[in-house]
Amino acid sequence: HVPIAKQYVEKAYALLKPGGYLFIELPRYHSFESRLFGSHWFHLDLPRHTFHFTPDGIQFLLQRAGFKDVSVRQVLAWEYAPWGIVASILTLFSLREEGRWVRRSLLFVLVLPILPVAGI
């Protein structure tokens, strides 16, 4: 949610003590969900998400800012994944703009089978 990611990463590098760590969490641009929903992918979230990074891209950005020993790990975040898929489906069918009852009923139908898997 930043206009110029490079400046924020450089500022973080300058603020960290030697040996400090920086953790960044971001949507996986080359994820299955992103490829499946394309321009309807919920996490495109334009205009708030102005940048989307691949693992190589974020690693390159961090190294250019001076970070050493950069480790990029991709993790399936269960607290986001089911809701992101549902939101992407709603966006795909343009139901995010419809009345609340349509969204809530579709959300219920789509999320109900996911709840046991999500541990809820």
Side-chain angles (χ1 to χ4, degrees), residues 49-119:
H49 288 170
T50 54
F51 294 95
H52 290 87
F53 294 98
T54 62
D56 289 341
I58 193 68
Q59 185 166 6
F60 178 77
L61 176 68
L62 291 167
Q63 288 172 338
R64 291 278 312 257
F67 285 92
K68 308 281 188 265
D69 300 321
V70 175
S71 173
V72 176
R73 293 189 320 164
Q74 297 183 52
V75 178
L76 179 61
W78 284 106
E79 65 271 22
Y80 298 119
W83 315 116
I85 291 170
V86 169
S88 295
I89 291 169
L90 292 173
T91 302
L92 178 65
F93 293 107
S94 301
L95 295 174
R96 292 182 69 200
E97 306 302 323
E98 295 294 329
R100 248 186 211 161
W101 71 271
V102 173
R103 282 192 309 244
R104 286 187 179 163
S105 59
L106 184 60
L107 183 68
F108 180 76
V109 169
L110 294 172
V111 170
L112 192 60
I114 297 172
L115 293 179
V117 175

Side-chain angles (χ1 to χ4, degrees), residues 2-19:
V2 297
I4 303 173
K6 181 178 180 273
Q7 289 178 350
Y8 282 83
V9 171
E10 288 171 347
K11 181 71 170 182
Y13 182 79
L15 291 172
L16 279 174
K17 292 180 181 179

